[in-house]
Amino acid sequence: MNGNQILEVESIYRPSSLPEVSELFSQVRNPDIEFALYAGGTELLQAAKLGFVDARHLVDLKGIDKLHGTVLDTDELIIGATSTYHEVCSSAQVRRSAPAFGTVCAQIANPRVRSVGTLGGNLCFGDPHSDLASFVVACGATVEIWRGDGFISRPLDGFWSGPYQAELGPGDVVTTVHLPVGPDVVVEHTRHGVRERPSVTCTCFVRLEGQNTCEARLALAGATIVPSLSVAFDACALDSIEDSVGIDELAHTVATEFQYSEDLDGPAEFKKQLAATTIGRTVERSRRRVCERQS
Amino acid sequence: MRTTCVVNATGVDIEHEAGETLLSVLRARLGLTGAKLSCDMQVCGVCTVLVDDLPVSSCTLLFADCAGGRIRTVEGLAADGKLHPVQKAFLSYNAFQCGYCTPGQIMTCVALLEHGTHFTYEQVTEYLSGTLCRCTGYLPIRAAAEAARSTAATTSGEK
């Protein structure tokens, strides 16, 4: 058979708990052994086929119960890192508490990737064209990370130091994603792309307190070097918009904040224009929904 | 290493390479050559099979990850000498030319319809859009899928 249908894999470890993962890393001190954590493998195995990662020693995380499931905890949806996109968008809990997030997951790649690919894998792989990145950053989501002897919490804003570079150490395991939700939350997400991975995504998160906009954030990904939160966009900026001209001006101002990548999707200057349009549309829809809630 | 699972309703226990994909095992070890190799990167869909009723790209799924799972390929669709309704629809609508993508297209349709028949035409189109065809221009494939959906909906009493 042509193609790379037998990957160079020497061993597959299947820990059933997080301490077992740490034990694996501490016991094997051979510098030639580099463990690769995976669950669905849709990114890792693909990269391994292309020779970009060493997948000789795989650690399959799917057997660890802590990494599964979805729980609503007051104003936070806690989703296990090994939850597949299919599981997320099929979850009644997600449909009730965070329908916009379910929609994002339902649009990722194709049905086959959605059957197998996982939330944790998406975030840890750090593809700059991730569908999820701008959403989780704008919403102020955090991840819980197992780090040898305990758990730490990290915001997803700033989680990536560059393309494909999640800030994780050897043996770190992302266990859960914590997504702020609530009846007072309005989230609008725009995705644009001609290939399976989006060229640009923009997410606007607004939290209302009665008639007031108490919190507003906007994040961009896909066109940028790393998923990034806007500094200029906040509750005041959103409330000060009077008309479509105001939206346009704000969108262009916000678009100048980001660092754009140059790749198959085009040069940086094109991406800035694309971003401005996408931001404008996202803000326009957000503003309309906020006005509806406030009236 | 050895992996045990069910393939087309038959239990199998296969000795294989640790890094061997599901597609390789199906084609090279089990002789189930319906699923094909094409893009080798989960994009084209011609390697689509069902694992636990969900469509997967068998070219990029380790067979080791199928342990305990139920795998269905196009070879396992017909029952008691009768074609599956999706297969019949593909024949009726001439939804293939070279046939290379056809097993993948059919398994994708089967996956969709097993999750319900309430999908709109646009939803069916969107679901199928992840499986590529260089020959037909997609219209007969979409027509076959819609016909199969409609027949299934009528049979189940849905609209």
Side-chain angles (χ1 to χ4, degrees):
Chain A
M1 176 182 290
N2 295 327
N4 194 350
Q5 290 299 296
I6 301 183
L7 282 74
E8 208 180 315
V9 173
E10 293 177 20
S11 49
I12 303 177
Y13 300 90
R14 294 205 164 101
S16 56
S17 70
L18 292 166
E20 276 183 53
V21 176
S22 304
E23 209 176 304
L24 197 60
F25 276 80
S26 65
Q27 280 181 356
V28 179
R29 300 196 185 280
N30 184 341
D32 288 334
I33 291 184
E34 192 173 314
F35 292 115
L37 305 183
Y38 85 107
T42 54
E43 301 277 25
L44 179 79
L45 299 181
Q46 194 54 57
K49 283 190 187 190
L50 295 169
F52 294 151
V53 300
D54 179 357
R56 285 176 297 155
H57 304 280
L58 295 175
V59 180
D60 179 0
L61 299 174
K62 293 191 287 292
I64 302 177
D65 282 342
K66 163 90 177 153
L67 275 54
H68 293 298
T70 303
V71 170
L72 179 65
D73 184 10
T74 315
D75 56 358
E76 194 174 71
L77 198 60
I78 303 171
I79 309 173
T82 58
S83 300
T84 64
Y85 307 124
H86 172 77
E87 285 167 351
V88 172
C89 61
S90 304
S91 159
Q93 195 72 276
V94 171
R95 282 204 299 272
R96 266 197 310 274
S97 315
F101 190 59
T103 302
V104 169
C105 291
Q107 292 175 339
I108 290 176
N110 58 60
R112 302 176 303 282
V113 169
R114 296 197 288 268
S115 298
V116 177
T118 64
L119 239 61
N122 185 299
L123 299 174
C124 294
F125 191 69
D127 189 320
H129 292 276
S130 159
D131 285 77
L132 303 178
S134 69
F135 196 101
V136 293
V137 168
C139 289
T142 59
V143 283
E144 182 188 76
I145 299 171
W146 166 259
R147 187 165 271 182
D149 56 358
F151 297 94
I152 61 165
S153 177
R154 293 251 328 263
L156 282 161
D157 179 26
F159 187 69
W160 303 276
S161 55
Y164 309 102
Q165 290 171 29
E167 290 288 286
L168 294 167
D172 283 358
V173 180
V174 170
T175 61
T176 46
V177 178
H178 296 240
L179 188 70
V181 297
D184 53 351
V185 164
V186 172
V187 183
E188 279 292 333
H189 179 85
T190 307
R191 178 192 191 279
H192 171 77
V194 294
R195 295 177 292 118
E196 282 196 340
R197 293 180 200 260
S199 302
V200 64
T201 65
C202 177
T203 312
C204 180
F205 171 95
V206 180
R207 189 185 292 280
L208 301 169
E209 205 172 78
Q211 296 289 309
N212 300 320
T213 308
C214 71
E215 207 178 341
R217 289 189 293 271
L218 185 141
L220 201 72
T224 50
I225 292 173
V226 288
S228 305
L229 206 55
S230 165
V231 173
F233 187 89
D234 58 16
C236 288
L238 183 64
D239 282 345
S240 67
I241 297 172
E242 291 182 348
D243 52 26
S244 59
V245 173
I247 292 174
D248 210 42
E249 284 174 357
L250 179 61
H252 279 87
T253 300
V254 169
T256 59
E257 289 182 49
F258 300 106
Q259 273 195 299
Y260 296 98
S261 56
E262 306 234 335
D263 59 20
L264 280 178
D265 285 332
E269 189 53 40
F270 164 75
K271 289 193 179 183
K272 191 167 111 183
Q273 299 303 317
L274 181 64
T277 304
T278 307
I279 291 166
R281 289 176 183 173
T282 311
V283 170
E284 194 271 330
R285 293 200 316 271
S286 300
R287 183 170 167 268
R288 192 178 337 123
R289 283 182 63 196
V290 167
C291 289
E292 282 167 7
R293 293 272 194 108
Q294 288 173 332
S295 62
Chain B
M1 66 187 299
R2 293 198 83 89
T3 296
T4 301
C5 59
V6 172
V7 178
N8 293 334
T10 300
V12 299
D13 180 26
I14 308 270
E15 180 79 34
H16 61 95
E17 304 278 350
E20 193 162 355
T21 64
L22 172 58
L23 183 65
S24 174
V25 169
L26 289 173
R27 291 182 58 87
R29 297 185 189 273
L30 294 175
L32 298 169
T33 55
K36 304 288 192 286
L37 178 68
S38 181
C39 74
D40 202 11
M41 53 191 291
Q42 309 170 95
V43 171
C44 72
V46 304
C47 66
T48 304
V49 299
L50 304 189
V51 176
D52 296 334
D53 303 326
L54 292 177
V56 301
S57 293
S58 59
C59 69
T60 313
L61 181 67
L62 295 179
F63 185 63
D65 281 339
C66 300
R70 284 177 304 109
I71 298 164
R72 284 187 287 155
T73 72
V74 70
E75 290 91 344
L77 284 185
D80 302 322
K82 292 182 186 165
L83 291 177
H84 189 280
V86 171
Q87 290 172 310
K88 286 184 196 169
F90 268 63
L91 278 173
S92 297
Y93 283 83
N94 250 359
F96 50 88
Q97 289 185 24
C98 78
Y100 201 78
C101 73
T102 307
Q105 299 281 4
I106 287 174
M107 296 313 290
T108 303
C109 286
V110 169
L112 177 65
L113 297 188
E114 286 183 354
H115 282 92
T117 54
H118 56 280
F119 302 104
T120 65
Y121 191 69
E122 289 72 26
Q123 286 171 322
V124 170
T125 302
E126 196 280 329
Y127 197 87
L128 296 181
S129 68
T131 311
L132 306 182
C133 175
R134 294 293 290 153
C135 297
T136 64
Y138 299 103
L139 293 182
I141 294 172
R142 195 169 60 184
E146 176 56 25
R149 185 207 66 79
S150 182
T151 301
T154 304
T155 306
S156 69
E158 292 178 50
K159 270 285 182 198

